[in-house]
Every structure is written in C-alpha cells, then in structure tokens.
Amino acid sequence: MTNAAQADSTSDILFYDSLFIDGEWRKPASSDSHSVTSASTGQVIGHVPVSTYTDADAAVAAARRAFADPTGWATWHPTERARALQRLADQLDARKEEMARRVSSQNGMPYSTSINFEAAVPAGVLRYYATLAEQMPTEERRPGVLGGTSLVHRTPLGVIAAIVPWNYPQTLTFFKLAPALAAGNTVVVKPSTETLLDFALLSEAVAAAGIPAGVINILTSGRGLGAYLVGHPGVDKISFTGSTAVGREIAGRAGQLLRPVTLELGGKSAALILDDADLESNAEALFIASLLNNGQTCFASTRILAPRSRYAEVVEFYKTLAEGSVVGDALDPATHIGPMVSSSHRDKVVSYIERGIADGATLVTGGPRSDREHGWFVQPTIFADVDNASVIAQEEIFGPVLSIIAYEGDDEAIRIANDSEFGLGGTVWTTDSERAERVAKQVQTGTIGINHYLPDFAAPYGGVKASGMGRELGPEGLAHYQNLHSIYL
C-alpha cells in the first residue's frame, strides 16, 4: 500500500494512518487520530492521524535539507522546476473528480462549485507559475546613478510555512504553493481540521509527480500546530489565509521574529448596484459574487448597496434569487447552497441572523430555522432596511446572509462601501463602463470586479485594512517568495 490509505468497503470511510513528509508516508509521532465528518449528513467519512510538534519538526527539517541541497530544488534551472510543476498539474487533473468530491463532502461546498474551483484552479495556477518562472529573469543588470553597474539577483527565501483554511482548501493552498515552488522554495503545508481528506489526495499527487523529497511536506492538523510553525526557527516565511483575529496574532509574532509574512484575511465586501444596473442579465454573476460556496467566501459581496430609486426592486430581486436557489446535499450536482462546514459554524451564522432580527432589520426571506433533518444547513437569508453601522453589516458572517443597504447617489455608495474595517473584494454593477471604473477606483479594497467577480491568476490578489497584507497571484505573488540580492559591480 503506497498511499497509506484504505477504504472500508461497507461504509466507504477512508482511513489514513501516515503523514507525507520528506517524500514518503511516515507514521506520526502520536497514535491519536482525527475523525472527518460530512457537512451534509454529520456522519464520519474518514480518519486521519493527528500531527504533533515532533511531526512538524520532521517536516521543517526535511524542507530545510531539500532547500540546502547544493544540487537540489533551489538550484534547479527555472525550466526544470517548471517541468515538475507541470507534472504535478497533470497528476491533479487525473484526480479532479475525487478532489471535488472530497472537498464538497467535508466543507459543504456544492459539487458544481468544487469541480470548477477546487478541482481546476490548483492545476491552472501551477501552469501559470510554471510559465512565469521560465519567462521572468532571476537577474537584472542596472546602470548605476553613481557610476558602475548593479546586478540585482532574485533568490528563493527558504522554507515556507503555508497555513490554509477550510473554505477553499486546495485553491488557497496553491495560491501559496505554486509561486513558492516556482521561486525555488520548499514548503510545509498545514491544513485546517475541517478539510484533511483532500490533502491526503494531494500527497498522493505529489508523490506520483516525482517532486523531490522534502520539497512539499504535508501535515494534518494538531492542537497549536499553526502557532508552532509560525514561531519555528527553521521557517523563513509564513503565508496564512484565515480570520483577521488569527492574522493579527501571526503578524505580531512575525514582527517579533522579523520574519516575512503574507496574510489574506477576512472581508465584508460591498456590491455597489448603480441605478442603471441590469439585474436580470447578471443574475448568475450576482449569485456568484455574493453567495458562492454558501457564502463561506472571504471576498463575498455580502453588503448589497442599492439606490433608493430602485430599492424595492433590488430587494425583490434578491428575495427571488435566494428562494430560487436549491438547498441540498453538497454532492448533488443540482445544489446551489450546501451546508455550513460544521455544526459550530452553523450556530455562529444562525446567531448573526438572530442578531439582525433583534436589531430591527427586516427579514425578507430565510431565517434561523432549517427544515433539513441532517447536516449543518442555513437557509439563504436576505435582510432589508439594514443600517451599515449594524453588526450584520460590519462583521463577517461567512454564510448565506446578505444585507441590503440604501444609498442616494454614487458618492454615498462609495462612502458606505468604504465604511468598513475590511477591504478585500467588492463589485460594481452598471451598464456604463466608464462610470464603473471611476467608482471602482474609489473603493478602498485590494480587489474589485465590474459586473462579475473572479480573481485572475495574472493579477495580484489580497486585501487592505483588516483584510490582510501582501499579495498572492500575478508576478507580485512570485516576488513575495524571493529575496532581492544586490551586487555592486
């Protein structure tokens, strides 16, 4: 058995008993295991070992050896690394249906979403950075202002600790892994407790692609493991996606250590629906921008800013959009809205709905009750008459809950959009392209879409204010995994 996994033929429960460290499956330091459950049913669907500090030490040591190897990954020509990334992309493609199924089973992402994101984006990002690594020079000669010439040399940072969340586990892993590998770094990946079976599948793909030992090491989850990696003396950079609260802690620790860090954190983005917007023609795009992955999306435009002249129309549009969405098992291809990732997260989302009602917002549709007997479901919920200063308009709910806020004129819409501690995503909806760009440029956010929202591999992605620091994707994402070394000639 090469992948350390087996399935119970009577229940299809997956059992993993090893960790992928230093290019092989290793028994963990502890005999403890973690049970993985289905968000749609609440039933156990797998077991994986718990990672300990000892396992983390082994993973970091393996990554350090691979990085320090004088003929190893960091010294390979970019073209040689690019070929390896292409092989890994091919192996992921060969597993895409199973990857989508595992992710959807665990976190509730509708299969129609996971097959297009979790199963496709990782290979796409790998291929993008494989090409970019070959095209971008690692050295540049600059004529000096004071005479002479400077040679600017780009080198990999070293060992990267990639700490990733459960909502888009594979997509967000490769936002980090692809540029880090393309630059010549080695990586230790620490997933979330809620999504572990997909990382076992990723380990199998890494092994099959022939990635050198120690270049990619994959832990499971363990108590305090993320914090342990952040402060580990063998780690050269931390790349984290998750909550703003945890991001602040990581930033503080990284600051003490003077260790580079990239943080992609929470959001409370606004959809600015201008008075000439065509709602019906953009219905699918509006759903994706605000309710993709059951609202468990950091960039989701969950504050809907509607002009007073069309307020009732916008409210009715979103009511119809929510009530027309199929709520069901995440693995059902017909499902639009699946369950929340866990019972505790469902309860958190429900508490926000109850708070919105208590604070006087108008409940248009949905609400805290779900008529489903099993699983962690929340009905898509629309609030009208929402004050932008209210809790449901200011705090990240991370569920299928939208707040519709009225405004008068573009300037007020921009002001309301910017009245938030977050600044990750956002959208502008209008039939006037010049007006759209003018408005979009005034919204204080790292990214914003016009009549749609979808991050592009070639453009930098990340947030401002409490939504993070640093950028992923694009050439800028590659640069975040490189040192600049100036040689004065």
Side-chain angles (χ1 to χ4, degrees):
M1 184 165 52
T2 59
N3 63 5
Q6 57 185 346
D8 183 323
S9 60
T10 61
S11 64
D12 293 327
I13 295 176
L14 289 170
F15 294 85
Y16 283 86
D17 60 5
S18 301
L19 304 172
F20 189 75
I21 296 174
D22 205 13
E24 62 183 13
W25 293 92
R26 293 186 175 188
K27 294 294 183 183
S30 169
S31 60
D32 293 342
S33 66
H34 177 80
S35 296
V36 181
T37 56
S38 162
S40 294
T41 67
Q43 301 300 307
V44 173
I45 57 174
H47 299 277
V48 296
V50 171
S51 295
T52 66
Y53 292 176
T54 300
D55 300 316
D57 289 341
V60 172
R64 177 60 58 193
R65 286 192 300 272
F67 182 75
D69 184 345
T71 62
W73 183 260
T75 68
W76 286 12
H77 190 277
T79 298
E80 193 175 4
R81 286 199 296 266
R83 292 195 191 105
L85 297 188
Q86 295 281 10
R87 291 197 304 272
L88 180 54
D90 291 342
Q91 291 298 326
L92 290 172
D93 278 342
R95 294 164 172 80
K96 60 184 180 181
E97 288 84 5
E98 176 63 11
M99 185 66 81
R101 191 187 70 80
R102 291 194 186 190
V103 171
S104 292
S105 295
Q106 295 171 108
N107 72 0
M109 179 185 291
Y111 184 82
S112 59
T113 300
S114 61
I115 195 66
N116 288 304
F117 283 81
E118 294 295 275
V121 169
V125 177
L126 281 169
R127 293 189 174 108
Y128 168 76
Y129 277 108
T131 301
L132 191 65
E134 293 185 279
Q135 293 175 343
M136 291 191 67
T138 57
E139 293 184 352
E140 175 190 354
R141 291 180 182 269
R142 299 179 184 174
V145 175
L146 302 178
T149 302
S150 294
L151 176 64
V152 180
H153 183 214
R154 297 178 183 273
T155 62
L157 292 172
V159 176
I160 311 300
I163 304 173
V164 295
W166 49 260
N167 60 328
Y168 291 86
Q170 293 301 313
T171 294
L172 295 174
T173 291
F174 280 90
F175 278 18
K176 308 172 191 312
L177 197 57
L181 295 175
N185 300 281
T186 57
V187 186
V188 176
V189 180
K190 205 287 291 183
S192 171
T193 303
E194 287 82 2
T195 46
L196 296 172
L197 296 177
D198 51 311
F199 284 92
L201 191 64
L202 171 58
S203 299
E204 295 170 13
V206 171
I211 304 298
V215 172
I216 302 174
N217 307 273
I218 301 176
L219 299 169
T220 55
S221 215
R223 186 175 181 83
L225 199 63
Y228 185 72
L229 284 173
V230 169
H232 199 291
V235 168
D236 297 298
K237 174 184 169 76
I238 303 106
S239 184
F240 170 80
T241 299
S243 72
T244 296
V246 175
R248 292 185 195 279
E249 294 177 7
I250 291 173
R253 182 66 174 136
Q256 292 174 339
L257 296 169
L258 296 179
R259 181 167 295 168
V261 60
T262 297
L263 302 172
E264 195 263 279
L265 308 177
K268 192 69 179 180
S269 303
L272 290 80
I273 298 178
L274 304 189
D275 56 17
D276 64 343
D278 184 346
L279 299 178
E280 295 300 330
S281 296
N282 289 300
E284 183 178 359
L286 283 157
F287 177 91
I288 291 171
S290 296
L291 291 168
L292 185 69
N293 192 20
N294 319 327
Q296 297 177 143
T297 302
C298 49
F299 60 66
S301 294
T302 55
R303 289 184 298 148
I304 311 300
L305 309 191
R308 290 192 184 277
S309 61
R310 298 182 63 186
Y311 191 80
E313 177 192 352
V314 171
V315 170
E316 184 61 28
F317 171 83
Y318 275 97
K319 178 178 184 291
T320 301
L321 192 69
E323 292 178 349
S325 300
V326 177
V327 178
D329 190 302
L331 294 178
D332 186 340
T335 292
H336 299 131
I337 301 288
M340 301 294 93
V341 67
S342 65
S343 59
S344 60
H345 186 60
R346 176 201 57 195
D347 293 345
K348 175 186 173 185
V349 173
V350 167
S351 72
Y352 274 110
I353 295 172
E354 292 172 341
R355 178 63 183 268
I357 295 170
D359 286 349
T362 300
L363 180 64
V364 176
T365 190
R369 288 183 173 273
S370 171
D371 58 1
R372 300 188 68 88
E373 186 178 352
H374 301 291
W376 302 307
F377 290 86
V378 174
Q379 292 294 119
T381 299
I382 308 298
F383 281 107
D385 307 314
V386 178
D387 187 325
N388 191 59
S390 67
V391 169
I392 61 169
Q394 287 294 317
E395 296 186 11
E396 186 177 37
I397 298 174
F398 226 58
V401 182
L402 306 183
S403 298
I404 305 180
I405 302 165
Y407 73 86
E408 290 278 5
D410 292 0
D411 289 344
E412 186 179 17
I414 294 165
R415 181 190 64 75
I416 293 172
N418 291 337
D419 183 16
S420 170
E421 69 169 321
F422 298 106
L424 180 59
T427 48
V428 179
W429 305 85
T430 174
T431 55
D432 184 335
S433 59
E434 290 186 7
R435 183 185 183 193
E437 289 189 27
R438 184 172 64 251
V439 170
K441 288 176 181 178
Q442 297 180 69
V443 180
Q444 298 165 359
T445 183
T447 65
I448 191 164
I450 295 175
N451 294 330
H452 87 297
Y453 186 95
L454 188 65
D456 190 287
F457 302 161
Y461 172 77
V464 298
K465 299 190 282 189
S467 289
M469 55 190 294
R471 290 295 181 267
E472 297 180 315
L473 300 182
E476 296 81 3
L478 183 67
H480 275 290
Y481 292 96
Q482 295 173 317
N483 275 319
L484 293 176
H485 184 206
S486 294
I487 302 173
Y488 307 122
L489 305 176

